[in-house]
Amino acid sequence: MDPSLTSSPVEAEPVVADPPRRTRRRPARADVLAIGAYALLGVLVCLNYWGDVQHRVSSHLPTDHSWFEWLFAHGAYSVRHLENPLFTARQNAPDGVNMMANTSLLGVTLPLAPLTLLLGPQVMYALYLGAALSATAATSYWVLSRHLVRSRGAAFVGGAFLGFAPGIVHHANGQPNFVSNFLLPLIVARVLRLGEPGRWRRNGIALGLLVAYQIFINEEMLLLTALACLVVVVAWAVQRPRAARERAGTFLAAVGVGGGVALLLAAYPIWFQFNGPQSYRGLQGGVFHNWGEDLMAFVTFARDTVAGDEAVEKTIGLTEQNTWFGWPLVLVALVALVLLVRRSLPARIVAVLVVVFSVAAIGPKVRFDGVETGVDGPWAYVPDDLPLVEMMMPTRLSLVVAAAVGVLLALAWDALSGRGRPPVPAQRTGSAPAGSRRRWLRPVGYAAIAAALLPLVPRPLPAQQIDPPPHFITAGGWRPYVPDGRTLVPVPIPSNVHGLPTLRWSALTGQEFPIPAGYFIGPNEAGEGVFGAPNRPTSTLIYATMDADKVPPITDENRRQALDDLRFWKASVVVLGANPREAVLRELMTQLLGEPRRVDDVWLWDVRDRV
């Protein structure tokens, strides 16, 4: 690897070597302090959950929050019952859910299953969320300090941004899969070492193991990382053509080994994802294809930072907040690039990443300050049905820009620290002493970086209170009514819009009873992916009644359809707990199924002898 990619922003001859060895060992205390600071930031971000961890969910994405609680319960259930974790029939009964075709976080939920069984999915969710943010910052710090910069302060700043960038904290609102990036810095570092002579087997095997594991955490972030690595390697090869030719054979051999290892370990799960039960091909209508980044988002402060403003979000926040750097950071980043790009190969590669992925994130139409202009973006020329691309969200490509900015901040801090700085050239007559320039440049530079980053310090994520499941559910009162092979049908039926509390019934009881429908992606009649199960007549009737807060006229046909649907779901009992629409839902279900029984704190319709 070129040492200018591994140690210093100084130009150097492209010689493949290990990262430069330091003459003295880094004090472990600095590393411990850095990791401790990241851990405190992780606690800060999740602080509102810990106030009442059993009864709080994300205010912005409460259904996603509950889905991931359910995923932790799924991992624990799979380990406890020794079931195939790639598929589950505990949701969307009787068809089930293809977990590989959904965001399942199996690489986390399975090894943490013992803790989930001990602490419960609510505690596990909050605990893991903060730990994932901190771990990403820590591995970023490790890679930066060992392979790119010499200043521990530079590595700390870069690691903090890579772990807690505004776009990453935004996803912490109910999407821990997008903050679980702790393997990605290690993957990038390994890719950049694939050209080392004599180590292609070891490097390839290490890369393959990391890639295989990342597949079970977040495939989308792995794809973004692969695209970023491709751009980095091409940009380096263009600037170092001779070195690239010399290392091409070793590099390709290592890539082949890594690909073979990853394929060996992940071939069956990937096959299952695309060919197993409840798999699908693309998303119906390419729903994500139009989600591009608004140009104003780059200079706007994110909602969950100390300088953020939710009012701005309503104007331009039509998609995810994957950049939202704020104008001070954009200005500092541009100045840093101008000052570093001439003499730093890493800075030039960072510049290429920023340009390529900023443009790619725009989407099919350029949007500015919440207004879609008539100007075509790059995705206007990308077919909607292109494999892999069909499920990508353009705005998420800007997460690579966020990572590039984190690396740039580390490079800039390192340059200011004077470590790895090239020898000061001979002074010209009449010029200011170099030492004098450096004395004022260093504090000004540090202050500028600090001023750009302080407004981006994350605030505790907003959380909302949620009612606990009925005592009938948590105390096991349902057990005499739900024999093996039958389901408990909660009202409302869980879906991606309705039934958030009833989805948690399954999660918080360890998935001991199966439920119909749910919150997931599965196939429709055409084999395209859709959110949730296709509505059946009874679930549609329930949702319409909730929305209108009024029971429509019920016919004999509605009653016949209700029994047909319960028969399809293999229902044993229908259960209605406390709900803001409890009165109207009880009236609806009574007209469909007859008078219920009051059992503990729920209304119960026992349908075992009718379906």
Side-chain angles (χ1 to χ4, degrees), residues 296-585:
M296 280 295 292
F298 288 90
V299 296
T300 304
F301 292 112
R303 175 192 62 206
D304 296 316
T305 61
V306 294
D309 184 357
E310 291 200 14
V312 177
E313 176 194 18
K314 295 175 182 178
T315 303
I316 65 173
L318 301 180
T319 61
E320 299 170 345
Q321 298 179 16
N322 291 313
T323 53
W324 295 63
F325 300 134
W327 63 265
L329 180 56
V330 171
L331 181 60
V332 166
L334 290 175
V335 171
L337 281 175
V338 169
L339 295 178
L340 291 175
V341 76
R342 289 186 59 188
R343 63 186 182 89
S344 170
L345 177 58
R348 290 198 291 274
I349 293 176
V350 164
V352 173
L353 284 172
V354 168
V355 172
V356 169
F357 285 91
S358 293
V359 172
I362 291 174
K365 289 290 183 182
V366 176
R367 288 174 48 234
F368 183 82
D369 202 19
V371 177
E372 185 177 282
T373 69
V375 180
D376 284 343
W379 285 69
Y381 308 99
V382 178
D384 289 349
D385 57 353
L386 198 65
L388 291 180
V389 173
E390 63 184 346
M391 296 185 64
M392 290 183 66
M393 190 183 299
T395 177
R396 288 182 181 168
L397 291 168
S398 61
L399 290 172
V400 177
V401 181
V405 170
V407 174
L408 177 63
L409 289 170
L411 291 172
W413 193 282
D414 199 48
L416 289 167
S417 72
R419 304 193 179 194
R421 182 181 292 274
V424 179
Q427 298 180 24
R428 297 175 181 172
T429 304
S431 63
S436 175
R437 290 198 303 271
R438 194 173 301 169
R439 278 195 297 272
W440 67 261
L441 180 61
R442 183 176 298 173
V444 169
Y446 287 158
I449 293 174
L453 291 180
L454 285 176
L456 303 182
V457 171
R459 293 183 294 185
L461 299 174
Q464 68 181 41
Q465 206 75 11
I466 189 170
D467 292 332
H471 183 263
F472 172 81
I473 296 295
T474 57
W478 55 271
R479 293 185 183 279
Y481 300 94
V482 187
D484 289 342
R486 304 295 288 269
T487 65
L488 184 150
V489 178
V491 178
I493 311 296
S495 75
N496 62 315
V497 177
H498 299 87
L500 164 63
T502 53
L503 176 63
R504 298 185 85 232
W505 292 7
S506 172
L508 303 189
T509 54
Q511 301 185 359
E512 288 301 321
F513 54 80
I515 58 174
Y519 183 62
F520 61 96
I521 301 178
N524 61 11
E525 296 79 1
E528 299 173 309
V530 293
F531 288 92
N535 283 339
R536 299 190 67 84
T538 303
S539 54
T540 299
L541 184 60
I542 290 173
Y543 302 149
T545 300
M546 292 180 68
D547 292 339
D549 197 19
K550 179 181 179 182
V551 178
I554 300 301
T555 66
D556 288 340
E557 178 62 15
N558 295 136
R559 298 184 182 93
R560 185 193 65 79
Q561 289 175 337
L563 292 178
D564 284 347
D565 292 341
L566 292 173
R567 196 171 293 116
F568 172 80
W569 290 325
K570 299 182 179 179
S572 179
V573 288
V574 178
V575 179
L576 171 64
N579 188 288
R581 297 285 189 269
E582 179 180 346
V584 71
L585 287 173

Side-chain angles (χ1 to χ4, degrees), residues 220-303:
E220 188 172 355
M221 290 302 292
L222 177 61
L223 176 59
L224 294 181
T225 302
L227 292 174
C229 286
L230 177 62
V231 172
V232 168
V233 170
V234 170
W236 176 81
V238 168
Q239 297 178 79
R240 293 287 190 272
R242 179 180 174 183
R245 287 192 298 269
E246 293 173 351
R247 292 156 181 75
T250 303
F251 182 89
L252 293 175
V255 169
V257 170
V261 170
L263 185 61
L264 179 65
L265 296 175
Y268 177 71
I270 292 175
W271 176 89
F272 195 93
Q273 175 177 347
F274 294 102
N275 298 282
Q278 291 299 101
S279 58
Y280 52 87
R281 291 288 188 275
L283 290 177
Q284 185 180 39
V287 294
F288 293 147
H289 198 71
N290 293 323
W291 286 27
E293 191 76 332
D294 192 303
L295 295 182
M296 280 295 292
F298 288 90
V299 296
T300 304
F301 292 112
R303 175 192 62 206

